[in-house]
Amino acid sequence: MRLVYYLGVFIPAAIVLELADAGPVVVFGAASLGVIPCAAVMGEATEAIAARTGPGIGGLLNVTFGNAPELIIALFALHEGLQEVVKASIVGSIIGNILLVMGAAMFVGGLPRDKQTFSQTAANAQSAMLLLALAALIFPAIFQLIHGGGLPAVGEERVDFGSDLEKLSFGVAIVLLISYVAGLIFSLKTHRDVFNPYSEGDEEETHHWPVARAAVYLALAAVAVGVMSEILVGSISEASEDIGLSQFFVGVFVVAIVGNAAEHWVAVLVAAKDKMDLAVNIAIGSSAQIALFVAPLLVLVSFVVGPNPMALVFNGYEIGALLFAVMIGNLVTQEGESNWFEGVQLMALYAVLGLVFYFA
């Protein structure tokens, strides 16, 4: 974990490069690397506070800060009117957590072992929430197609789908947020023992920061993420053109990986320590958070930020990626055990999607 903090040198570097009007590719690269240590600090600080304040406050903190880098980046993108980039980053976060993060965790954790086990009940509950979110995220696109409309084209920055789809997306967002709150009550109160398989001693051993120190680091990291996100979003358009990559590919893969860097790191780390319950909950749970909390929140915010409200209508590539990632993620967690080969298969699908999105 300590090695990630050395990337903190890119925070002032990105600011200096932006002020010096350096090339967009250099600015984008520095800002992307600058987000990673901020995300790592936010992840560790949140877990440190949660370990000392109980599951209720800990759950609230995880909702607020667990996906903060991704949310902040998306808010700046919304303000710039890059709605298709925002939707691409939502899809990228979901498929990245299921395929890349869980795949890497299963591979690294499974290499020295025949198999690893985790709670079927907890994994199935998270997967069920993700399936619900999948249906809710896809049906606005089905509504659009049935009524003779088309899906957004790859490369578009923003599409005005009309008031009906905007109202439909608003209603879907409200339902998803209510479902997410119910999921928090289920996992943090009525069935919290299922989602908390480790003792307090294990948590204390992992999280050694005092609460005051963690709170200060959390606040500083949030400010730094905001600055890095503004620089990153401002350079996306020109940087993607200079590199020869579409904004679509950058949104699905680069922005999503950067925004969830802390969770990616922690999931693989705990899997290597044979804490597969925690690794699976991070991977599936983070995807559920993006789908049930971040995505609907961005829809609601888009009604007051940006040129026009964002409708939850994804393009064909995004819908296909969501369908296969969620179904396969649900399949590999059904038995409550994993091995390194399943991890390879998940990462292989992620690589295939990367190739498809690159040529899209």
Side-chain angles (χ1 to χ4, degrees), residues 100-113 115-118 198 263-283 338:
L100 178 62
V101 178
M102 189 159 67
M106 287 180 174
F107 176 72
V108 172
L111 272 180
R113 305 172 181 92
K115 65 178 181 179
Q116 291 180 288
T117 59
F118 48 88
Y198 301 112
E263 291 164 336
H264 297 179
W265 179 270
V266 173
V268 176
L269 194 66
V270 297
K273 297 178 181 178
D274 203 21
K275 295 183 178 181
M276 206 58 198
D277 268 303
L278 185 54
V280 170
N281 282 338
I282 288 173
S338 64

PDB file of all heavy atoms in Angstrom, residues 100-113 115-118 198 263-283 338:
ATOM      1  N   LEU A 100     -12.295  -7.210 -13.769  1.00  0.00           N
ATOM      2  CA  LEU A 100     -10.877  -6.962 -13.511  1.00  0.00           C
ATOM      3  C   LEU A 100     -10.524  -7.152 -12.042  1.00  0.00           C
ATOM      4  O   LEU A 100      -9.588  -7.890 -11.696  1.00  0.00           O
ATOM      5  CB  LEU A 100     -10.502  -5.555 -13.971  1.00  0.00           C
ATOM      6  CG  LEU A 100      -9.049  -5.142 -13.715  1.00  0.00           C
ATOM      7  CD1 LEU A 100      -8.087  -6.042 -14.465  1.00  0.00           C
ATOM      8  CD2 LEU A 100      -8.831  -3.684 -14.109  1.00  0.00           C
ATOM      9  N   VAL A 101     -11.265  -6.484 -11.157  1.00  0.00           N
ATOM     10  CA  VAL A 101     -10.929  -6.523  -9.727  1.00  0.00           C
ATOM     11  C   VAL A 101     -11.178  -7.910  -9.142  1.00  0.00           C
ATOM     12  O   VAL A 101     -10.300  -8.497  -8.503  1.00  0.00           O
ATOM     13  CB  VAL A 101     -11.734  -5.458  -8.949  1.00  0.00           C
ATOM     14  CG1 VAL A 101     -11.422  -5.542  -7.460  1.00  0.00           C
ATOM     15  CG2 VAL A 101     -11.408  -4.077  -9.478  1.00  0.00           C
ATOM     16  N   MET A 102     -12.379  -8.453  -9.355  1.00  0.00           N
ATOM     17  CA  MET A 102     -12.655  -9.775  -8.809  1.00  0.00           C
ATOM     18  C   MET A 102     -11.797 -10.834  -9.497  1.00  0.00           C
ATOM     19  O   MET A 102     -11.339 -11.791  -8.853  1.00  0.00           O
ATOM     20  CB  MET A 102     -14.142 -10.126  -8.955  1.00  0.00           C
ATOM     21  CG  MET A 102     -14.542 -11.398  -8.197  1.00  0.00           C
ATOM     22  SD  MET A 102     -16.310 -11.506  -7.862  1.00  0.00           S
ATOM     23  CE  MET A 102     -16.954 -11.693  -9.522  1.00  0.00           C
ATOM     24  N   GLY A 103     -11.549 -10.660 -10.802  1.00  0.00           N
ATOM     25  CA  GLY A 103     -10.686 -11.596 -11.512  1.00  0.00           C
ATOM     26  C   GLY A 103      -9.269 -11.577 -10.967  1.00  0.00           C
ATOM     27  O   GLY A 103      -8.669 -12.631 -10.718  1.00  0.00           O
ATOM     28  N   ALA A 104      -8.710 -10.386 -10.764  1.00  0.00           N
ATOM     29  CA  ALA A 104      -7.354 -10.268 -10.228  1.00  0.00           C
ATOM     30  C   ALA A 104      -7.283 -10.812  -8.808  1.00  0.00           C
ATOM     31  O   ALA A 104      -6.301 -11.463  -8.421  1.00  0.00           O
ATOM     32  CB  ALA A 104      -6.907  -8.807 -10.264  1.00  0.00           C
ATOM     33  N   ALA A 105      -8.329 -10.551  -8.005  1.00  0.00           N
ATOM     34  CA  ALA A 105      -8.355 -11.046  -6.630  1.00  0.00           C
ATOM     35  C   ALA A 105      -8.391 -12.576  -6.604  1.00  0.00           C
ATOM     36  O   ALA A 105      -7.660 -13.222  -5.834  1.00  0.00           O
ATOM     37  CB  ALA A 105      -9.566 -10.479  -5.887  1.00  0.00           C
ATOM     38  N   MET A 106      -9.236 -13.177  -7.451  1.00  0.00           N
ATOM     39  CA  MET A 106      -9.316 -14.641  -7.505  1.00  0.00           C
ATOM     40  C   MET A 106      -8.010 -15.249  -8.010  1.00  0.00           C
ATOM     41  O   MET A 106      -7.576 -16.296  -7.528  1.00  0.00           O
ATOM     42  CB  MET A 106     -10.480 -15.066  -8.408  1.00  0.00           C
ATOM     43  CG  MET A 106     -11.853 -14.836  -7.806  1.00  0.00           C
ATOM     44  SD  MET A 106     -13.188 -15.373  -8.927  1.00  0.00           S
ATOM     45  CE  MET A 106     -14.623 -15.140  -7.868  1.00  0.00           C
ATOM     46  N   PHE A 107      -7.377 -14.586  -8.968  1.00  0.00           N
ATOM     47  CA  PHE A 107      -6.121 -15.096  -9.521  1.00  0.00           C
ATOM     48  C   PHE A 107      -4.988 -15.015  -8.494  1.00  0.00           C
ATOM     49  O   PHE A 107      -4.321 -16.019  -8.221  1.00  0.00           O
ATOM     50  CB  PHE A 107      -5.750 -14.292 -10.771  1.00  0.00           C
ATOM     51  CG  PHE A 107      -4.421 -14.674 -11.355  1.00  0.00           C
ATOM     52  CD1 PHE A 107      -4.260 -15.875 -12.021  1.00  0.00           C
ATOM     53  CD2 PHE A 107      -3.326 -13.827 -11.233  1.00  0.00           C
ATOM     54  CE1 PHE A 107      -3.030 -16.240 -12.559  1.00  0.00           C
ATOM     55  CE2 PHE A 107      -2.097 -14.174 -11.765  1.00  0.00           C
ATOM     56  CZ  PHE A 107      -1.949 -15.386 -12.429  1.00  0.00           C
ATOM     57  N   VAL A 108      -4.796 -13.848  -7.896  1.00  0.00           N
ATOM     58  CA  VAL A 108      -3.705 -13.661  -6.929  1.00  0.00           C
ATOM     59  C   VAL A 108      -3.934 -14.499  -5.679  1.00  0.00           C
ATOM     60  O   VAL A 108      -3.015 -15.153  -5.167  1.00  0.00           O
ATOM     61  CB  VAL A 108      -3.561 -12.168  -6.558  1.00  0.00           C
ATOM     62  CG1 VAL A 108      -2.566 -11.987  -5.417  1.00  0.00           C
ATOM     63  CG2 VAL A 108      -3.122 -11.362  -7.773  1.00  0.00           C
ATOM     64  N   GLY A 109      -5.170 -14.499  -5.167  1.00  0.00           N
ATOM     65  CA  GLY A 109      -5.466 -15.275  -3.963  1.00  0.00           C
ATOM     66  C   GLY A 109      -5.457 -16.770  -4.211  1.00  0.00           C
ATOM     67  O   GLY A 109      -5.132 -17.557  -3.312  1.00  0.00           O
ATOM     68  N   GLY A 110      -5.799 -17.187  -5.435  1.00  0.00           N
ATOM     69  CA  GLY A 110      -5.903 -18.614  -5.720  1.00  0.00           C
ATOM     70  C   GLY A 110      -4.618 -19.286  -6.149  1.00  0.00           C
ATOM     71  O   GLY A 110      -4.518 -20.518  -6.097  1.00  0.00           O
ATOM     72  N   LEU A 111      -3.613 -18.515  -6.575  1.00  0.00           N
ATOM     73  CA  LEU A 111      -2.365 -19.121  -7.055  1.00  0.00           C
ATOM     74  C   LEU A 111      -1.719 -20.068  -6.045  1.00  0.00           C
ATOM     75  O   LEU A 111      -1.346 -21.187  -6.400  1.00  0.00           O
ATOM     76  CB  LEU A 111      -1.373 -18.024  -7.473  1.00  0.00           C
ATOM     77  CG  LEU A 111      -1.474 -17.524  -8.918  1.00  0.00           C
ATOM     78  CD1 LEU A 111      -0.433 -16.447  -9.177  1.00  0.00           C
ATOM     79  CD2 LEU A 111      -1.294 -18.672  -9.913  1.00  0.00           C
ATOM     80  N   PRO A 112      -1.554 -19.665  -4.774  1.00  0.00           N
ATOM     81  CA  PRO A 112      -0.901 -20.577  -3.828  1.00  0.00           C
ATOM     82  C   PRO A 112      -1.860 -21.554  -3.153  1.00  0.00           C
ATOM     83  O   PRO A 112      -1.461 -22.290  -2.251  1.00  0.00           O
ATOM     84  CB  PRO A 112      -0.300 -19.615  -2.793  1.00  0.00           C
ATOM     85  CG  PRO A 112      -1.225 -18.452  -2.781  1.00  0.00           C
ATOM     86  CD  PRO A 112      -1.800 -18.348  -4.169  1.00  0.00           C
ATOM     87  N   ARG A 113      -3.130 -21.588  -3.580  1.00  0.00           N
ATOM     88  CA  ARG A 113      -4.131 -22.412  -2.898  1.00  0.00           C
ATOM     89  C   ARG A 113      -4.965 -23.188  -3.925  1.00  0.00           C
ATOM     90  O   ARG A 113      -5.135 -22.757  -5.056  1.00  0.00           O
ATOM     91  CB  ARG A 113      -5.061 -21.531  -2.048  1.00  0.00           C
ATOM     92  CG  ARG A 113      -4.320 -20.642  -1.052  1.00  0.00           C
ATOM     93  CD  ARG A 113      -5.257 -19.652  -0.370  1.00  0.00           C
ATOM     94  NE  ARG A 113      -4.528 -18.810   0.563  1.00  0.00           N
ATOM     95  CZ  ARG A 113      -3.994 -17.627   0.241  1.00  0.00           C
ATOM     96  NH1 ARG A 113      -4.125 -17.157  -0.985  1.00  0.00           N
ATOM     97  NH2 ARG A 113      -3.349 -16.925   1.155  1.00  0.00           N
ATOM     98  N   LYS A 115      -8.246 -23.709  -3.596  1.00  0.00           N
ATOM     99  CA  LYS A 115      -9.451 -22.918  -3.748  1.00  0.00           C
ATOM    100  C   LYS A 115      -9.581 -21.967  -2.562  1.00  0.00           C
ATOM    101  O   LYS A 115      -8.922 -22.138  -1.530  1.00  0.00           O
ATOM    102  CB  LYS A 115     -10.701 -23.813  -3.841  1.00  0.00           C
ATOM    103  CG  LYS A 115     -10.999 -24.601  -2.569  1.00  0.00           C
ATOM    104  CD  LYS A 115     -12.275 -25.422  -2.735  1.00  0.00           C
ATOM    105  CE  LYS A 115     -12.581 -26.181  -1.433  1.00  0.00           C
ATOM    106  NZ  LYS A 115     -13.830 -26.978  -1.551  1.00  0.00           N
ATOM    107  N   GLN A 116     -10.428 -20.969  -2.717  1.00  0.00           N
ATOM    108  CA  GLN A 116     -10.759 -20.048  -1.637  1.00  0.00           C
ATOM    109  C   GLN A 116     -12.274 -20.032  -1.464  1.00  0.00           C
ATOM    110  O   GLN A 116     -13.011 -20.228  -2.432  1.00  0.00           O
ATOM    111  CB  GLN A 116     -10.247 -18.637  -1.948  1.00  0.00           C
ATOM    112  CG  GLN A 116      -8.728 -18.513  -1.925  1.00  0.00           C
ATOM    113  CD  GLN A 116      -8.268 -17.105  -2.233  1.00  0.00           C
ATOM    114  OE1 GLN A 116      -8.355 -16.652  -3.367  1.00  0.00           O
ATOM    115  NE2 GLN A 116      -7.768 -16.406  -1.227  1.00  0.00           N
ATOM    116  N   THR A 117     -12.722 -19.837  -0.257  1.00  0.00           N
ATOM    117  CA  THR A 117     -14.158 -19.837   0.014  1.00  0.00           C
ATOM    118  C   THR A 117     -14.613 -18.477   0.534  1.00  0.00           C
ATOM    119  O   THR A 117     -13.818 -17.710   1.088  1.00  0.00           O
ATOM    120  CB  THR A 117     -14.534 -20.915   1.045  1.00  0.00           C
ATOM    121  OG1 THR A 117     -13.823 -20.670   2.264  1.00  0.00           O
ATOM    122  CG2 THR A 117     -14.184 -22.300   0.530  1.00  0.00           C
ATOM    123  N   PHE A 118     -15.895 -18.185   0.323  1.00  0.00           N
ATOM    124  CA  PHE A 118     -16.493 -16.946   0.818  1.00  0.00           C
ATOM    125  C   PHE A 118     -17.978 -17.197   1.055  1.00  0.00           C
ATOM    126  O   PHE A 118     -18.530 -18.227   0.630  1.00  0.00           O
ATOM    127  CB  PHE A 118     -16.290 -15.796  -0.176  1.00  0.00           C
ATOM    128  CG  PHE A 118     -16.644 -16.135  -1.601  1.00  0.00           C
ATOM    129  CD1 PHE A 118     -17.942 -15.964  -2.072  1.00  0.00           C
ATOM    130  CD2 PHE A 118     -15.687 -16.635  -2.476  1.00  0.00           C
ATOM    131  CE1 PHE A 118     -18.275 -16.284  -3.382  1.00  0.00           C
ATOM    132  CE2 PHE A 118     -16.008 -16.950  -3.796  1.00  0.00           C
ATOM    133  CZ  PHE A 118     -17.303 -16.772  -4.244  1.00  0.00           C
ATOM    134  N   TYR A 198     -15.363 -10.903   9.907  1.00  0.00           N
ATOM    135  CA  TYR A 198     -14.103 -10.786  10.630  1.00  0.00           C
ATOM    136  C   TYR A 198     -14.318 -10.097  11.971  1.00  0.00           C
ATOM    137  O   TYR A 198     -15.208  -9.285  12.135  1.00  0.00           O
ATOM    138  CB  TYR A 198     -13.066 -10.001   9.815  1.00  0.00           C
ATOM    139  CG  TYR A 198     -12.801 -10.651   8.503  1.00  0.00           C
ATOM    140  CD1 TYR A 198     -13.196 -10.032   7.315  1.00  0.00           C
ATOM    141  CD2 TYR A 198     -12.206 -11.898   8.426  1.00  0.00           C
ATOM    142  CE1 TYR A 198     -12.979 -10.647   6.092  1.00  0.00           C
ATOM    143  CE2 TYR A 198     -11.993 -12.517   7.202  1.00  0.00           C
ATOM    144  CZ  TYR A 198     -12.377 -11.882   6.053  1.00  0.00           C
ATOM    145  OH  TYR A 198     -12.167 -12.487   4.845  1.00  0.00           O
ATOM    146  N   GLU A 263     -10.111   0.834  -4.300  1.00  0.00           N
ATOM    147  CA  GLU A 263     -10.832  -0.422  -4.131  1.00  0.00           C
ATOM    148  C   GLU A 263     -10.144  -1.550  -4.885  1.00  0.00           C
ATOM    149  O   GLU A 263     -10.096  -2.684  -4.415  1.00  0.00           O
ATOM    150  CB  GLU A 263     -12.277  -0.248  -4.612  1.00  0.00           C
ATOM    151  CG  GLU A 263     -13.078   0.663  -3.689  1.00  0.00           C
ATOM    152  CD  GLU A 263     -14.354   1.143  -4.337  1.00  0.00           C
ATOM    153  OE1 GLU A 263     -14.420   1.164  -5.576  1.00  0.00           O
ATOM    154  OE2 GLU A 263     -15.271   1.512  -3.608  1.00  0.00           O
ATOM    155  N   HIS A 264      -9.603  -1.270  -6.074  1.00  0.00           N
ATOM    156  CA  HIS A 264      -8.882  -2.280  -6.844  1.00  0.00           C
ATOM    157  C   HIS A 264      -7.706  -2.819  -6.035  1.00  0.00           C
ATOM    158  O   HIS A 264      -7.498  -4.030  -5.927  1.00  0.00           O
ATOM    159  CB  HIS A 264      -8.353  -1.672  -8.152  1.00  0.00           C
ATOM    160  CG  HIS A 264      -9.426  -1.203  -9.073  1.00  0.00           C
ATOM    161  ND1 HIS A 264      -9.160  -0.607 -10.285  1.00  0.00           N
ATOM    162  CD2 HIS A 264     -10.783  -1.243  -8.983  1.00  0.00           C
ATOM    163  CE1 HIS A 264     -10.290  -0.293 -10.901  1.00  0.00           C
ATOM    164  NE2 HIS A 264     -11.287  -0.666 -10.120  1.00  0.00           N
ATOM    165  N   TRP A 265      -6.951  -1.906  -5.464  1.00  0.00           N
ATOM    166  CA  TRP A 265      -5.751  -2.286  -4.718  1.00  0.00           C
ATOM    167  C   TRP A 265      -6.103  -3.126  -3.496  1.00  0.00           C
ATOM    168  O   TRP A 265      -5.514  -4.168  -3.231  1.00  0.00           O
ATOM    169  CB  TRP A 265      -4.992  -1.026  -4.319  1.00  0.00           C
ATOM    170  CG  TRP A 265      -3.758  -1.271  -3.529  1.00  0.00           C
ATOM    171  CD1 TRP A 265      -3.634  -1.347  -2.166  1.00  0.00           C
ATOM    172  CD2 TRP A 265      -2.438  -1.517  -4.039  1.00  0.00           C
ATOM    173  NE1 TRP A 265      -2.331  -1.598  -1.809  1.00  0.00           N
ATOM    174  CE2 TRP A 265      -1.576  -1.705  -2.933  1.00  0.00           C
ATOM    175  CE3 TRP A 265      -1.904  -1.582  -5.324  1.00  0.00           C
ATOM    176  CZ2 TRP A 265      -0.213  -1.959  -3.078  1.00  0.00           C
ATOM    177  CZ3 TRP A 265      -0.548  -1.826  -5.466  1.00  0.00           C
ATOM    178  CH2 TRP A 265       0.277  -2.012  -4.363  1.00  0.00           C
ATOM    179  N   VAL A 266      -7.082  -2.650  -2.717  1.00  0.00           N
ATOM    180  CA  VAL A 266      -7.439  -3.317  -1.460  1.00  0.00           C
ATOM    181  C   VAL A 266      -7.993  -4.716  -1.714  1.00  0.00           C
ATOM    182  O   VAL A 266      -7.667  -5.670  -0.999  1.00  0.00           O
ATOM    183  CB  VAL A 266      -8.464  -2.470  -0.664  1.00  0.00           C
ATOM    184  CG1 VAL A 266      -8.966  -3.240   0.551  1.00  0.00           C
ATOM    185  CG2 VAL A 266      -7.834  -1.160  -0.227  1.00  0.00           C
ATOM    186  N   ALA A 267      -8.828  -4.876  -2.740  1.00  0.00           N
ATOM    187  CA  ALA A 267      -9.437  -6.185  -3.024  1.00  0.00           C
ATOM    188  C   ALA A 267      -8.381  -7.241  -3.316  1.00  0.00           C
ATOM    189  O   ALA A 267      -8.443  -8.366  -2.803  1.00  0.00           O
ATOM    190  CB  ALA A 267     -10.409  -6.069  -4.195  1.00  0.00           C
ATOM    191  N   VAL A 268      -7.399  -6.902  -4.134  1.00  0.00           N
ATOM    192  CA  VAL A 268      -6.331  -7.857  -4.466  1.00  0.00           C
ATOM    193  C   VAL A 268      -5.473  -8.142  -3.240  1.00  0.00           C
ATOM    194  O   VAL A 268      -5.065  -9.285  -2.988  1.00  0.00           O
ATOM    195  CB  VAL A 268      -5.469  -7.324  -5.628  1.00  0.00           C
ATOM    196  CG1 VAL A 268      -4.307  -8.272  -5.917  1.00  0.00           C
ATOM    197  CG2 VAL A 268      -6.319  -7.145  -6.883  1.00  0.00           C
ATOM    198  N   LEU A 269      -5.214  -7.103  -2.448  1.00  0.00           N
ATOM    199  CA  LEU A 269      -4.381  -7.256  -1.254  1.00  0.00           C
ATOM    200  C   LEU A 269      -5.007  -8.212  -0.247  1.00  0.00           C
ATOM    201  O   LEU A 269      -4.345  -9.123   0.270  1.00  0.00           O
ATOM    202  CB  LEU A 269      -4.154  -5.882  -0.605  1.00  0.00           C
ATOM    203  CG  LEU A 269      -3.065  -5.776   0.454  1.00  0.00           C
ATOM    204  CD1 LEU A 269      -1.696  -6.019  -0.155  1.00  0.00           C
ATOM    205  CD2 LEU A 269      -3.110  -4.408   1.128  1.00  0.00           C
ATOM    206  N   VAL A 270      -6.308  -8.055   0.028  1.00  0.00           N
ATOM    207  CA  VAL A 270      -6.954  -8.923   1.024  1.00  0.00           C
ATOM    208  C   VAL A 270      -7.151 -10.337   0.477  1.00  0.00           C
ATOM    209  O   VAL A 270      -7.127 -11.303   1.236  1.00  0.00           O
ATOM    210  CB  VAL A 270      -8.302  -8.335   1.509  1.00  0.00           C
ATOM    211  CG1 VAL A 270      -8.084  -7.015   2.218  1.00  0.00           C
ATOM    212  CG2 VAL A 270      -9.295  -8.157   0.360  1.00  0.00           C
ATOM    213  N   ALA A 271      -7.321 -10.470  -0.837  1.00  0.00           N
ATOM    214  CA  ALA A 271      -7.432 -11.808  -1.429  1.00  0.00           C
ATOM    215  C   ALA A 271      -6.129 -12.568  -1.257  1.00  0.00           C
ATOM    216  O   ALA A 271      -6.125 -13.779  -1.003  1.00  0.00           O
ATOM    217  CB  ALA A 271      -7.800 -11.712  -2.907  1.00  0.00           C
ATOM    218  N   ALA A 272      -5.004 -11.878  -1.390  1.00  0.00           N
ATOM    219  CA  ALA A 272      -3.703 -12.512  -1.194  1.00  0.00           C
ATOM    220  C   ALA A 272      -3.533 -13.001   0.239  1.00  0.00           C
ATOM    221  O   ALA A 272      -2.800 -13.961   0.507  1.00  0.00           O
ATOM    222  CB  ALA A 272      -2.586 -11.530  -1.547  1.00  0.00           C
ATOM    223  N   LYS A 273      -4.252 -12.351   1.176  1.00  0.00           N
ATOM    224  CA  LYS A 273      -4.216 -12.756   2.588  1.00  0.00           C
ATOM    225  C   LYS A 273      -5.301 -13.790   2.904  1.00  0.00           C
ATOM    226  O   LYS A 273      -5.564 -14.084   4.061  1.00  0.00           O
ATOM    227  CB  LYS A 273      -4.398 -11.531   3.492  1.00  0.00           C
ATOM    228  CG  LYS A 273      -3.282 -10.497   3.360  1.00  0.00           C
ATOM    229  CD  LYS A 273      -3.558  -9.297   4.257  1.00  0.00           C
ATOM    230  CE  LYS A 273      -2.461  -8.244   4.124  1.00  0.00           C
ATOM    231  NZ  LYS A 273      -2.743  -7.054   4.962  1.00  0.00           N
ATOM    232  N   ASP A 274      -5.949 -14.331   1.865  1.00  0.00           N
ATOM    233  CA  ASP A 274      -6.994 -15.341   1.988  1.00  0.00           C
ATOM    234  C   ASP A 274      -8.250 -14.818   2.682  1.00  0.00           C
ATOM    235  O   ASP A 274      -8.963 -15.580   3.335  1.00  0.00           O
ATOM    236  CB  ASP A 274      -6.462 -16.587   2.718  1.00  0.00           C
ATOM    237  CG  ASP A 274      -7.284 -17.828   2.388  1.00  0.00           C
ATOM    238  OD1 ASP A 274      -7.960 -17.828   1.339  1.00  0.00           O
ATOM    239  OD2 ASP A 274      -7.265 -18.801   3.179  1.00  0.00           O
ATOM    240  N   LYS A 275      -8.532 -13.524   2.554  1.00  0.00           N
ATOM    241  CA  LYS A 275      -9.783 -12.951   3.057  1.00  0.00           C
ATOM    242  C   LYS A 275     -10.710 -12.730   1.857  1.00  0.00           C
ATOM    243  O   LYS A 275     -11.035 -11.605   1.485  1.00  0.00           O
ATOM    244  CB  LYS A 275      -9.519 -11.640   3.796  1.00  0.00           C
ATOM    245  CG  LYS A 275      -8.699 -11.807   5.071  1.00  0.00           C
ATOM    246  CD  LYS A 275      -8.538 -10.482   5.794  1.00  0.00           C
ATOM    247  CE  LYS A 275      -7.772 -10.642   7.099  1.00  0.00           C
ATOM    248  NZ  LYS A 275      -7.628  -9.351   7.810  1.00  0.00           N
ATOM    249  N   MET A 276     -11.141 -13.839   1.266  1.00  0.00           N
ATOM    250  CA  MET A 276     -11.904 -13.761   0.025  1.00  0.00           C
ATOM    251  C   MET A 276     -13.304 -13.194   0.231  1.00  0.00           C
ATOM    252  O   MET A 276     -13.893 -12.624  -0.689  1.00  0.00           O
ATOM    253  CB  MET A 276     -11.979 -15.149  -0.610  1.00  0.00           C
ATOM    254  CG  MET A 276     -12.162 -15.123  -2.115  1.00  0.00           C
ATOM    255  SD  MET A 276     -10.828 -14.217  -2.940  1.00  0.00           S
ATOM    256  CE  MET A 276     -11.594 -13.914  -4.522  1.00  0.00           C
ATOM    257  N   ASP A 277     -13.856 -13.352   1.433  1.00  0.00           N
ATOM    258  CA  ASP A 277     -15.153 -12.740   1.733  1.00  0.00           C
ATOM    259  C   ASP A 277     -15.090 -11.240   1.476  1.00  0.00           C
ATOM    260  O   ASP A 277     -15.954 -10.667   0.813  1.00  0.00           O
ATOM    261  CB  ASP A 277     -15.531 -12.992   3.199  1.00  0.00           C
ATOM    262  CG  ASP A 277     -16.367 -14.237   3.372  1.00  0.00           C
ATOM    263  OD1 ASP A 277     -17.432 -14.314   2.749  1.00  0.00           O
ATOM    264  OD2 ASP A 277     -15.934 -15.143   4.095  1.00  0.00           O
ATOM    265  N   LEU A 278     -14.043 -10.621   2.025  1.00  0.00           N
ATOM    266  CA  LEU A 278     -13.896  -9.185   1.896  1.00  0.00           C
ATOM    267  C   LEU A 278     -13.622  -8.790   0.454  1.00  0.00           C
ATOM    268  O   LEU A 278     -14.170  -7.807  -0.056  1.00  0.00           O
ATOM    269  CB  LEU A 278     -12.757  -8.702   2.812  1.00  0.00           C
ATOM    270  CG  LEU A 278     -12.532  -7.189   2.892  1.00  0.00           C
ATOM    271  CD1 LEU A 278     -13.810  -6.460   3.255  1.00  0.00           C
ATOM    272  CD2 LEU A 278     -11.425  -6.882   3.899  1.00  0.00           C
ATOM    273  N   ALA A 279     -12.783  -9.561  -0.244  1.00  0.00           N
ATOM    274  CA  ALA A 279     -12.451  -9.247  -1.636  1.00  0.00           C
ATOM    275  C   ALA A 279     -13.686  -9.292  -2.536  1.00  0.00           C
ATOM    276  O   ALA A 279     -13.903  -8.405  -3.366  1.00  0.00           O
ATOM    277  CB  ALA A 279     -11.393 -10.219  -2.144  1.00  0.00           C
ATOM    278  N   VAL A 280     -14.511 -10.338  -2.381  1.00  0.00           N
ATOM    279  CA  VAL A 280     -15.719 -10.471  -3.199  1.00  0.00           C
ATOM    280  C   VAL A 280     -16.715  -9.366  -2.867  1.00  0.00           C
ATOM    281  O   VAL A 280     -17.343  -8.786  -3.765  1.00  0.00           O
ATOM    282  CB  VAL A 280     -16.360 -11.858  -3.005  1.00  0.00           C
ATOM    283  CG1 VAL A 280     -17.733 -11.927  -3.660  1.00  0.00           C
ATOM    284  CG2 VAL A 280     -15.449 -12.942  -3.581  1.00  0.00           C
ATOM    285  N   ASN A 281     -16.858  -9.061  -1.576  1.00  0.00           N
ATOM    286  CA  ASN A 281     -17.777  -7.993  -1.184  1.00  0.00           C
ATOM    287  C   ASN A 281     -17.339  -6.643  -1.743  1.00  0.00           C
ATOM    288  O   ASN A 281     -18.169  -5.810  -2.100  1.00  0.00           O
ATOM    289  CB  ASN A 281     -17.903  -7.920   0.334  1.00  0.00           C
ATOM    290  CG  ASN A 281     -18.811  -9.003   0.889  1.00  0.00           C
ATOM    291  OD1 ASN A 281     -19.644  -9.539   0.169  1.00  0.00           O
ATOM    292  ND2 ASN A 281     -18.634  -9.357   2.148  1.00  0.00           N
ATOM    293  N   ILE A 282     -16.014  -6.409  -1.796  1.00  0.00           N
ATOM    294  CA  ILE A 282     -15.511  -5.160  -2.372  1.00  0.00           C
ATOM    295  C   ILE A 282     -15.843  -5.097  -3.856  1.00  0.00           C
ATOM    296  O   ILE A 282     -16.357  -4.092  -4.362  1.00  0.00           O
ATOM    297  CB  ILE A 282     -13.990  -5.031  -2.157  1.00  0.00           C
ATOM    298  CG1 ILE A 282     -13.683  -4.749  -0.680  1.00  0.00           C
ATOM    299  CG2 ILE A 282     -13.413  -3.914  -3.032  1.00  0.00           C
ATOM    300  CD1 ILE A 282     -12.206  -4.773  -0.349  1.00  0.00           C
ATOM    301  N   ALA A 283     -15.565  -6.183  -4.580  1.00  0.00           N
ATOM    302  CA  ALA A 283     -15.770  -6.193  -6.030  1.00  0.00           C
ATOM    303  C   ALA A 283     -17.248  -6.084  -6.408  1.00  0.00           C
ATOM    304  O   ALA A 283     -17.650  -5.185  -7.154  1.00  0.00           O
ATOM    305  CB  ALA A 283     -15.163  -7.462  -6.627  1.00  0.00           C
ATOM    306  N   SER A 338     -13.800 -20.083  -5.089  1.00  0.00           N
ATOM    307  CA  SER A 338     -13.143 -19.614  -6.305  1.00  0.00           C
ATOM    308  C   SER A 338     -11.754 -20.224  -6.418  1.00  0.00           C
ATOM    309  O   SER A 338     -11.207 -20.756  -5.449  1.00  0.00           O
ATOM    310  CB  SER A 338     -13.031 -18.081  -6.294  1.00  0.00           C
ATOM    311  OG  SER A 338     -12.195 -17.651  -5.226  1.00  0.00           O
TER     312      SER A 338
END
